[in-house]
Amino acid sequence: MGDFFVKITEYDKCTGCAACYSVCPEKCISMKENQEGFLYPEVNEDLCIKCGMCRKTCPVNRAHFKELSDMPETYLSRSRNESIRRCSASGGVFTQIAKNFLSEGNSIVYGCVYGENFEVCHAAVSDTDNVEKLSRSKYVQSRIGDIYKDVRQKLLEGKRVLFSGTACQIYGLHSFLGKEYDALYCIDVVCYGVPSPKVYFKYLRWVSEKNGQIDKVVMRDKQIYKKFYRACYAIDLKNGKKYMKLTADDPFALSFFRNLSIRRSCYECHFKTVHRISDITIGDCWFSENLSELEDVDGVTLTIVHSEKGKQLMESGNIESVTVNSEKAIKANGGKIYSCAVKNPERDEFFRDIECMEFDDVVKKYLKPDKSVRMWLTNVLKNNGLIPQFLIDRKQEKEFRRRISQTIPKESFGRMEL
Ligand SMILES: Cc1cc2nc3c(=O)[nH]c(=O)nc-3n(C[C@H](O)[C@H](O)[C@H](O)COP(=O)(O)OP(=O)(O)OC[C@H]3O[C@@H](n4cnc5c(N)ncnc54)[C@H](O)[C@@H]3O)c2cc1C
């Protein structure tokens, strides 16, 4: 890594948003993969004219905190269309909004897709039939490539643009554009952290070696159990079989939830504030029944609206919404909106092992499902319908009470401004 890189921003804070790469007038910055599989900017110092645009545009350098005392409007929402809900992460709010947006014409939508060889990257969609490529969460850091430049081009052509991504990507885009556009609408996802593409590909190879060639990857497959859905990692194989694991059992999901495979900057994310620069923030809502009459049958989206444009998107049609107490709903989300993931002390060793150990051995060392006898027995009983529903409800109620009793730190109420 060249010396000049250090001058863009601190290594541990760089989110890989690609704003510096996109803005460089000499095209002398490239996004290069580090040992952990994350992209970082690398400056070709022979071509660099030291104009400082990269530093000035970096949203981490530019962001300052604006204190706000009110709470944003918060809703539990879902698409009225059942097939949209089934193919989405939660209530399909983004997918429905994207369809509405494109139906109005002269519009384009950007979001995260599975690209070639299942690479997770950003892409543009301009017709309603292809919107579902953007649906569902892909729990891997998405490659931005030249998307910001493409967004600017479309805005200059007079198109309406809807852009979705993680908060750091939304800040990256805004910072790159450098000015407000009336025709730009942004939706960010509540983001726990972004897992490494390198670990993801090692995992896919592992699944493939054990089960067969991969045909399709889904990280939020919906399995309806009793009346609620459970999220599964589901991989269709070309031999007709399917690899399927609940998130609590899948090694790649566990590397995420155990804070092992996520990017360094996610442990001190600047953009995790209650108010956001985007028009809407969307997240999961696992306790909707405690917050509103909207039932969580196949998913409900926690929807935080930050602007008039956000309201317009929410009113664009076919979305069922219930206003909820913002503070309660945000707390019930489990603090993911405002607090950063805590670095697992084994993280660095995990990445060293990923480099030189067989994935099977990495699984044995770090990613075994929690199989305490009590948990195992509870799961077996639950899966066979032998635990009465009221006991499950009671457990969920207890978890809900625990979450809403947390306090939102005062310093999270504001917003990062550019
Ligand atoms: C890496 C990651 C971590 C998350 N962590 C949490 C969390 O801790 N708590 C929580 O409440 N919610 C989290 N979410 C958000 C949640 O999974 C759903 O996106 C949210 O519930 C919206 O559901 P929906 O049905 O309305 O979205 P859908 O209609 O299914 O649309 C999915 C949206 O997610 C975007 N997206 C998918 N993958 C990525 C990606 N890799 N990078 C950027 N954008 C992406 C798509 O562009 C699209 O806008 C996370 C999402 C991601 C991608």
Side-chain angles (χ1 to χ4, degrees), residues 7 47 55 70 87 152 172 220 257 259 324 334 339 361 390:
K7 293 178 200 153
L47 298 179
R55 259 196 74 85
D70 58 333
C87 80
R152 183 174 58 190
R220 280 289 284 258
F257 299 138
N259 298 346
V324 285
S339 61
D361 295 328
F390 78 89

Side-chain angles (χ1 to χ4, degrees), residues 26 30 40 78-79 110 116 153 192 207-208 393 402:
E26 296 300 309
S30 43
Y40 284 80
R78 64 182 175 204
S79 165
Y110 293 83
E116 225 176 293
Q153 184 57 35
Y192 180 61
V207 170
S208 171
D393 290 346
R402 188 189 68 76

Side-chain angles (χ1 to χ4, degrees), residues 272-288:
K272 274 183 169 265
T273 49
V274 169
H275 293 269
R276 303 258 168 122
I277 200 176
S278 58
D279 299 297
I280 298 180
T281 299
I282 51 175
D284 300 321
C285 182
W286 300 102
F287 298 105
S288 65

Side-chain angles (χ1 to χ4, degrees), residues 87-96 110-112 120 122 134-142 164-166 169 187 189-195 220 256 282-285 300-302 333 336:
C87 80
S88 302
S90 293
V93 166
F94 169 79
T95 305
Q96 184 64 61
Y110 293 83
C112 179
V120 171
H122 261 61
L134 309 174
S135 307
R136 290 192 178 118
S137 303
K138 292 101 186 162
Y139 295 116
V140 180
Q141 183 160 37
S142 172
S164 66
T166 55
Q169 291 166 339
I187 299 186
V189 293
V190 171
C191 173
Y192 180 61
V194 282
R220 280 289 284 258
F256 179 29
I282 51 175
D284 300 321
C285 182
V300 172
T301 307
L302 173 71
N333 183 267
K336 303 296 180 343

